[in-house]
Amino acid sequence: MELGCWGGRKALRGFLLSTTAALSFSGGLTMQAGPASAQQGQAAGALPSVVVSAPQQRARRAQTATTSRAARSNRRTATVAPVEKKPPSVNNQDARTGQKGYVTRSVTSATKTNTALLNVPQSVTVLTKDFIRDQAFTSIGEATRYVPGVIYHQGESHRDDLVIRGQRSNADFYTNGIRDDVQYFRDFYNIQRLEVLKGPNAMIFGRGGGGGVVNRVLKDADGTTIREVTVGGNSYPGARVTTDVGQAINENWAFRLNAMYENTQSYRDFVNLERWAINPTATFAPNDTTTIKLSYEHLHDRRTVDRGIPSQIRPGNAFPRYPYDTSSSAFFGNPNLNYALADVDIGTAVVEHDFENGWTIKNSSQIANYDKFYQNIYPGGGANSGAVNAAGTSSNLQAYNNETDRTNYFNQTDLTYKFGTGPIRHTVVFGAEVGRQNGLNFRQTGLFNGVSSTITIDPRNPTSYVPVTFANNGGTDANNTYKLNLGAVYVQDQVEITRYLELIGGLRFDHFDLTSRDRRTFVELNRVDDLVSPRAGVLFKPLENLSIYGSYSISYLPSAGDQFSALTPGLAIAAPEKFVNKEVGLKYDIFPFLQFATAIYELDRTNQRFADPNNAGFFILSGATKTRGFEASLTGYVTDAWQITGGYAYTDARITSNNSATIVAGNRVGLVPYNTFSLWNKYQFTEQWAAGLGVIHYSNFFASSDDTVLIPEFTRVDAAVFFRLNETWRAQLNIENLLDRKYYSTADGNNNITPGSPRVFRLSATANF
């Protein structure tokens, strides 16, 4: 697979060796949270005791005045207390962020410093590894149904794809804060938590992220001893096994290995998934102030591409149309030819150093190679674009495939300084990022029997085995390589003026230089954007456990779009899209481990491209959308035995200016219900037995922004039973769609609609040695 640059895997090894010499830094705070609920000695509304573990002082170093000043500034939200001295290689990952059960107390992704969620002036939802395990989730799409304001997009059944606050993206994904933007399905076998940060995030993450971003925090070699194997299966049928093994090797070295294998069928006819992955990580801590973390991941994923079912034309061509009424298992396509294949290799080196004088530095380097290919035979084409005719006797299929290989190189450096100016305390981050992304985009149109780009089928028997040949059509089919060079600098200051008032402000400058080369004509096109993205927030804390905030942020998306894989003459002169978010919210820790949050926001998107009717291939930048919404969430321990997570979102996402001939002002944005609600409960009846019950509700929504196909509202009930025999053995049974209701879960346009799964059982057993 051609990438136009040096080979991924060999480069990966060399890159990892070279970057281990880089210096990096961290905030140096380790938070140890108190009891799990108010019932454990905490009065309602009181914060738990939090212990800050400062870097261990070596005997040969005397504390300087500067060091004392830094130590005083570290007492912003915590009380320094003696802690048990541990080897530097042991640094428990849960304790760093106060992660317990379904709750995480702090994150670094929102500010680049370890900041309590209560002090982040932005809507952030965190799904912990315990919640993900209890739900038996393995994919981002299903997990984010419990995140207010986030909708799972079908993504042509070969990639993660989300709609966040009315803005669709298949690229705003990050791993440990580093861009992971290629189109593939990420797995949860090695996840510590999933963070969803809503609203434009360019100050932290750079381009894109107009509706928000999703950041996976992976398990690392934290020195904690773990030896765990989980074996499970489902009633489709299918099987999955995962393993997690780690420990401190000595006082300086820790190692961890996560691995996974899965082979499963589906409720959809002919659909199969086989994947495996391995992720070894190592931590080297030569002393108390320096840490080096190394990680390598390989993921292999092969699956059937399943684009779902079409809609059906109503008598008299009445609107709205609805999904074609057929079995939830009916497969529209060719099971011998529908498939996606992804091989992903990611190597990362992170070096952190604390200078013990208020300054810390962190350097993160990553090289990632993605080999990706997918092939679709799906409802589309013909006079009705794949829709079933009113008589229910005819539909159409069309076909294409695409090779979208990419190699990413990123390096981030963050220099943080904590200091005080009188009573005011500052946490300033100076940062820089450089990167290069190279790739290939090669698309081929499918011809049925080598002749026609569409074929007519009977929707009552929609599976086709007609031979299909694939060839680049030399025109609309992409056939190009590309290279992107990017650089960024940014500065941010978190200011604690008093105990009651905090401010955050930041500014980022991005240089985005994209070149695309047509492999047929050898013509190169180039587009350079220099983007300035501000962020500002104010936070008022009338109580220690209550914050009220306001925020303002801007992000830009270059004209080449999420995947920037090709340039045309029209795109090369088009200005970036712009996202502006205004938000006010409230966060309240009802108990130390019961978090309530709510937000009201307005998000404007402008400069969307509308095809110029008088100049083919060029655009009028008149498209715009406006999203107004309300979100509320509740997560944590209601009592010692009862955990809960869930939320509600009201989202009114509207087209405010014509985007095309059919996507016009006043339309609702596709795949965005007005109302979504989710709630999961887990109750621990005894030390051995627990049970879970959850509900997900979506009001109706349109399959696309032309508002012609309406997906009916649905309510799904899930359940689980948990059993722990002893410290070694535990098991759980999950039941998805307990009431076996028929529904449609998501879509990718008007005629690629995914039916929801009928009732399915998932059983797993875990051994801890």
Side-chain angles (χ1 to χ4, degrees):
M1 296 184 177
E2 181 181 340
L3 286 176
C5 64
W6 45 285
R9 291 184 178 86
K10 291 183 179 179
L12 179 77
R13 292 192 289 269
F15 184 78
L16 282 174
L17 290 173
S18 66
T19 52
T20 55
L23 281 180
S24 156
F25 68 97
S26 69
L29 294 183
T30 302
M31 300 178 63
Q32 296 180 346
S37 73
Q39 285 69 26
Q40 292 178 305
Q42 292 283 353
L47 283 174
S49 59
V50 179
V51 177
V52 174
S53 178
Q56 298 292 339
Q57 296 294 322
R58 290 170 285 185
R60 66 178 183 272
R61 279 183 189 247
Q63 189 183 52
T64 65
T66 307
T67 304
S68 300
R69 206 162 44 241
R72 285 197 300 272
S73 74
N74 281 345
R75 291 198 293 267
R76 297 172 53 186
T77 58
T79 301
V80 176
V83 294
E84 179 185 357
K85 181 177 175 64
K86 296 181 180 180
S89 65
V90 178
N91 188 6
N92 184 272
Q93 200 170 1
D94 288 342
R96 278 178 247 158
T97 57
Q99 186 167 317
K100 179 180 177 64
Y102 295 171
V103 173
T104 296
R105 302 265 301 161
S106 68
V107 295
T108 60
S109 55
T111 61
K112 288 189 175 287
T113 64
N114 192 359
T115 302
L117 281 171
L118 196 68
N119 296 336
V120 175
Q122 178 182 2
S123 181
V124 180
T125 300
V126 180
L127 304 179
T128 68
K129 65 180 187 297
D130 287 356
F131 171 71
I132 290 169
R133 179 199 64 201
D134 287 349
Q135 287 273 31
F137 289 142
T138 62
S139 71
I140 288 176
E142 276 299 314
T144 51
R145 291 192 185 278
Y146 283 87
V147 180
V150 178
I151 307 299
Y152 169 38
H153 190 286
Q154 184 199 87
E156 296 184 353
S157 185
H158 68 81
R159 61 176 181 258
D160 289 320
D161 207 332
L162 297 174
V163 180
I164 307 176
R165 290 187 170 178
Q167 316 304 318
R168 178 190 172 192
S169 177
N170 51 55
D172 291 319
F173 298 96
Y174 292 78
T175 303
N176 295 333
I178 301 176
R179 187 175 292 271
D180 179 27
D181 55 5
V182 173
Q183 298 177 334
Y184 73 104
F185 280 112
R186 296 143 184 91
D187 194 274
F188 281 168
Y189 75 100
N190 58 348
I191 198 163
Q192 173 73 10
R193 62 184 176 272
L194 187 74
E195 302 170 346
V196 183
L197 299 93
K198 284 167 277 186
N201 283 273
M203 165 55 221
I204 301 296
F205 295 99
R207 71 181 189 269
V213 302
V214 176
N215 182 51
R216 288 182 303 149
V217 178
L218 304 186
K219 298 174 182 177
D220 65 28
D222 62 358
T224 303
T225 299
I226 183 169
R227 293 174 177 83
E228 180 176 283
V229 176
T230 299
V231 178
N234 61 59
S235 56
Y236 287 145
R240 179 180 170 95
V241 59
T242 61
T243 184
D244 184 359
V245 178
Q247 69 178 65
I249 306 300
N250 54 42
E251 67 175 8
N252 301 118
W253 281 95
F255 179 79
R256 192 167 188 171
L257 176 68
N258 283 271
M260 171 274 299
Y261 175 79
E262 180 177 5
N263 193 327
T264 186
Q265 305 298 313
S266 170
Y267 65 99
R268 303 279 295 150
D269 288 344
F270 312 110
V271 173
N272 172 261
L273 161 66
E274 182 176 22
R275 58 183 167 182
W276 63 271
I278 186 168
N279 179 206
T281 63
T283 298
F284 174 53
N287 52 51
D288 295 327
T289 60
T290 304
T291 303
I292 301 170
K293 298 180 181 180
L294 302 176
S295 171
Y296 168 74
E297 179 178 20
H298 176 77
L299 169 70
H300 172 83
D301 185 305
R302 183 185 175 98
R303 64 181 64 218
T304 306
V305 172
D306 172 22
R307 297 282 289 270
I309 66 172
S311 63
Q312 183 173 9
I313 297 173
R314 295 173 62 187
N317 200 26
F319 292 104
R321 299 173 181 169
Y322 297 96
Y324 174 57
D325 187 11
T326 185
S327 167
S328 61
S329 63
F331 185 82
F332 283 70
N334 186 328
N336 294 336
L337 298 176
N338 283 50
Y339 74 97
L341 179 63
D343 280 292
V344 178
D345 293 277
I346 302 176
T348 308
V350 179
V351 189
E352 301 178 78
H353 181 72
D354 188 341
F355 293 99
E356 298 185 290
N357 60 2
W359 289 93
T360 56
I361 187 168
K362 177 180 179 181
N363 181 273
S364 303
S365 300
Q366 185 180 94
I367 179 171
N369 189 75
Y370 306 84
D371 290 339
K372 175 66 189 296
F373 177 86
Y374 57 96
Q375 186 163 279
N376 290 298
I377 292 87
Y378 62 101
N384 298 321
S385 301
V388 175
N389 64 0
T393 58
S394 176
S395 179
N396 287 86
L397 299 178
Q398 60 184 18
Y400 79 97
N401 63 32
N402 210 349
E403 183 179 346
T404 57
D405 305 332
R406 183 177 298 168
T407 302
N408 290 346
Y409 312 89
F410 293 114
N411 182 272
Q412 298 176 357
T413 301
D414 294 322
L415 184 64
T416 302
Y417 183 42
K418 295 185 178 182
F419 65 98
T421 54
I424 300 175
R425 296 168 182 146
H426 298 263
T427 302
V428 181
V429 177
F430 305 93
E433 180 178 11
V434 293
R436 183 180 178 91
Q437 298 181 262
N438 304 292
L440 166 70
N441 186 19
F442 181 61
R443 176 182 169 120
Q444 299 183 105
T445 296
L447 298 177
F448 295 89
N449 287 317
V451 177
S452 174
S453 60
T454 65
I455 187 174
T456 301
I457 60 167
D458 186 335
R460 295 163 295 187
N461 184 24
T463 305
S464 169
Y465 294 95
V466 172
V468 184
T469 58
F470 294 88
N472 186 277
N473 63 18
T476 57
D477 285 345
N479 184 5
N480 65 284
T481 58
Y482 58 88
K483 59 183 178 182
L484 169 66
N485 293 314
L486 58 92
V489 292
Y490 45 89
V491 62
Q492 174 189 268
D493 191 7
Q494 294 170 260
V495 186
E496 183 182 348
I497 298 175
T498 69
R499 186 191 72 77
Y500 304 100
L501 182 62
E502 298 182 18
L503 305 175
I504 184 171
L507 194 68
R508 179 179 178 122
F509 170 80
D510 280 282
H511 178 74
F512 184 91
D513 184 353
L514 174 64
T515 300
S516 175
R517 181 176 185 269
D518 192 311
R519 299 199 301 175
R520 297 163 297 200
T521 64
F522 307 110
V523 171
E524 285 192 354
L525 294 172
N526 176 258
R527 170 79 193 186
V528 175
D529 287 296
D530 293 321
L531 309 173
V532 178
S533 305
R535 171 192 191 176
V538 58
L539 192 127
F540 174 61
K541 298 183 67 176
L543 302 172
E544 284 283 356
N545 60 329
L546 173 67
S547 64
I548 302 167
Y549 70 86
S551 67
Y552 177 85
S553 59
I554 295 176
S555 288
Y556 293 93
L557 181 65
S559 59
D562 271 345
Q563 292 300 324
F564 61 89
S565 53
L567 279 175
T568 64
L571 291 175
I573 63 171
E577 296 185 42
K578 184 178 181 180
F579 303 83
V580 179
N581 188 74
K582 292 165 282 188
E583 179 175 334
V584 294
L586 178 147
K587 298 182 180 182
Y588 179 38
D589 288 351
I590 302 171
F591 301 138
F593 279 82
L594 182 62
Q595 301 167 327
F596 171 77
T598 186
I600 301 172
Y601 66 90
E602 181 178 275
L603 174 57
D604 290 295
R605 179 177 187 172
T606 55
N607 278 359
Q608 288 184 275
R609 293 175 298 279
F610 173 56
D612 187 342
N614 301 313
N615 193 1
F618 288 80
F619 305 93
I620 300 172
L621 302 183
S622 62
T625 65
K626 181 184 291 291
T627 305
R628 292 189 174 109
F630 167 80
E631 299 166 356
S633 63
L634 185 66
T635 300
Y637 288 83
V638 180
T639 69
D640 294 341
W642 180 15
Q643 287 194 82
I644 190 172
T645 191
Y648 166 78
Y650 172 80
T651 311
D652 184 5
R654 294 279 180 174
I655 307 296
T656 57
S657 180
N658 295 343
N659 287 12
S660 71
T662 56
I663 302 175
V664 297
N667 282 11
R668 290 169 58 186
V669 173
L671 232 62
V672 182
Y674 281 132
N675 300 284
T676 62
F677 173 79
S678 61
L679 182 65
W680 172 259
N681 301 267
K682 181 184 179 183
Y683 195 85
Q684 193 74 40
F685 293 97
T686 68
E687 289 188 1
Q688 288 186 311
W689 290 98
L693 185 68
V695 60
I696 297 169
H697 174 77
Y698 281 29
S699 61
N700 60 34
F701 55 94
F702 288 102
S704 75
S705 297
D706 65 9
D707 289 8
T708 60
V709 176
L710 189 67
I711 308 298
E713 69 175 10
F714 70 86
T715 301
R716 192 182 90 189
V717 177
D718 301 333
V721 178
F722 306 93
F723 174 70
R724 177 177 287 277
L725 178 64
N726 51 41
E727 290 298 316
T728 301
W729 293 98
R730 71 173 188 267
Q732 70 183 69
L733 172 67
N734 292 83
I735 308 172
E736 180 183 320
N737 196 2
L738 178 68
L739 304 180
D740 201 25
R741 296 290 174 83
K742 184 175 181 178
Y743 70 101
Y744 302 94
S745 64
T746 186
D748 187 358
N750 291 333
N751 294 305
N752 292 176
I753 302 165
T754 300
S757 174
R759 184 189 299 120
V760 60
F761 298 89
R762 296 184 175 91
L763 179 65
S764 65
T766 300
N768 292 92
F769 301 100

